[in-house]
Amino acid sequence: RGVLHGERDIAAPPRTVLGKTIELVGRDRELAQLETLFDECVSEPVARAILVRGAVGVGKSRLRHELSERLRTRAQAPSLPIR
């Protein structure tokens, strides 16, 4: 079982493999679901919490980075805390 060690800096660049950023592949469905939930929170007076779980190395941090980059370019971009 994984152990939560703390929060990561949301502004941190994605992790690399041998110094190269790897494209996020096979996660279009998950990204679309997360964007849809964000859109719902913007358009309706509702809050949502999302828990992303998975084994080490499956791309949880990369998914978070990709989502924050996509949302950052929107007209109603979220206010993301930087730690």
Side-chain angles (χ1 to χ4, degrees):
R1 293 195 146 180
V3 177
L4 180 63
H5 295 283
E7 295 180 62
R8 291 215 175 126
D9 182 355
I10 200 155
R15 293 182 183 169
T16 59
V17 175
L18 298 175
K20 297 183 181 186
T21 301
I22 304 300
E23 292 294 318
L24 181 67
V25 293
R27 296 293 186 166
D28 293 332
R29 181 175 166 191
E30 289 91 342
L31 276 171
Q33 289 174 327
L34 294 171
E35 286 184 280
T36 298
L37 285 171
F38 175 77
D39 292 338
E40 181 182 344
C41 293
V42 169
S43 65
E44 302 290 329
V46 64
R48 296 282 185 239
I50 301 165
L51 176 64
V52 178
R53 294 180 48 193
V56 173
V58 297
K60 299 175 299 292
S61 296
R62 183 73 173 125
L63 181 66
R64 184 231 1 115
H65 177 77
E66 188 68 28
L67 177 65
S68 63
E69 287 300 308
R70 286 186 182 198
L71 296 180
R72 195 176 309 219
T73 63
R74 292 175 165 219
Q76 289 187 316
S79 174
L80 302 174
I82 298 175
R83 299 187 194 287

